[in-house]
Amino acid sequence: MATFETEEEVDGATVKKTWFSTGDRGLIDDDDFLLVHGNSSELRAAELEKRAAAEEAQREADVAAASLKAKEEAEEAERLEQERMEAERIAEEKRLEEERIAEEKRLEEERIAREEEEEKKKKEVAERTAALARVGVENPEDLDDETADAILARLAAIEANLTRLQEDIEGRNAA
């Protein structure tokens, strides 16, 4: 067994004491009695248990903090995903509304074009009917388009010949 020595002064003389290293912990009181408080290995074990408990508590706190952080990050990711989906939904609604407005505009333009075309045809029919009526065609609205166009073309040719003949006559009279 290991020993160690200490020196202390008692009544002016130095006293050398030898101690056995048993691992016991204690102190000598005022009456020179040895008071043992425990064994160093027991104290070390208790200290290790305290340290292990503190480390376990710290690990649990770290795990709880990491779990909380992961939960918060997941919630934030979910919130961002919901915001993204809402933005996409709004963009899609806007796109559909723009398409609807464009389609309404296109249909309105087509309606106006049809009305203008119908008005143009009515005007042409009215002019043709009036021209046919001037030359004495009875019920010109009953004629089919091809016959009416042939009569009008022949009439235009006759009018052109008449105009040319009148110019020739005026030219002879002037000369």
Side-chain angles (χ1 to χ4, degrees):
M1 184 174 287
T3 62
F4 64 94
E5 295 180 351
T6 62
E7 292 182 359
E8 48 179 78
E9 208 169 294
V10 178
D11 296 330
T14 300
V15 177
K16 196 179 212 184
K17 294 184 180 180
T18 301
W19 301 88
F20 291 102
S21 181
T22 62
D24 290 331
R25 297 284 181 178
L27 57 94
I28 298 176
D29 67 7
D30 295 336
D31 297 325
D32 285 333
F33 287 103
L34 175 63
L35 298 174
V36 177
H37 294 292
N39 187 286
S40 61
S41 60
E42 290 172 359
L43 293 175
R44 250 186 261 122
E47 189 177 304
L48 288 175
E49 283 181 28
K50 284 181 187 178
R51 189 177 304 148
E55 288 173 357
E56 180 63 24
Q58 183 61 44
R59 274 193 298 278
E60 289 175 3
D62 291 347
V63 167
S67 176
L68 180 61
K69 183 177 180 183
K71 181 181 176 186
E72 289 172 349
E73 288 173 352
E75 288 172 351
E76 178 67 10
E78 177 66 22
R79 185 188 64 75
L80 291 173
E81 179 64 14
Q82 287 176 350
E83 285 180 4
R84 184 192 62 78
M85 289 173 61
E86 179 66 12
E88 284 180 1
R89 184 190 63 77
I90 290 170
E92 180 65 11
E93 285 179 359
K94 182 179 179 182
R95 184 189 64 78
L96 290 173
E97 180 65 15
E98 289 172 352
E99 284 180 4
R100 184 190 62 77
I101 290 170
E103 181 66 11
E104 286 179 357
K105 183 179 178 182
R106 184 188 63 78
L107 292 173
E108 180 66 14
E109 289 171 352
E110 286 179 1
R111 183 189 62 76
I112 291 171
R114 275 193 313 273
E115 288 176 357
E116 288 174 352
E117 186 63 31
E118 288 173 4
E119 193 63 34
K120 181 180 173 185
K121 284 182 182 178
K122 284 180 184 179
K123 185 177 179 181
E124 288 174 357
V125 168
E127 288 174 358
R128 185 175 60 202
T129 300
L132 291 171
R134 274 194 314 268
V135 292
V137 175
E138 293 182 13
N139 300 323
E141 59 277 347
D142 292 339
L143 294 175
D144 63 83
D145 289 344
E146 188 177 329
T147 304
D149 288 343
I151 292 171
L152 290 174
R154 185 70 183 130
L155 182 59
I158 291 171
E159 287 177 347
N161 284 337
L162 179 61
T163 303
R164 196 170 21 106
L165 288 173
Q166 287 174 343
E167 290 173 354
D168 285 346
I169 293 172
E170 288 176 7
R172 286 186 188 163
N173 288 340

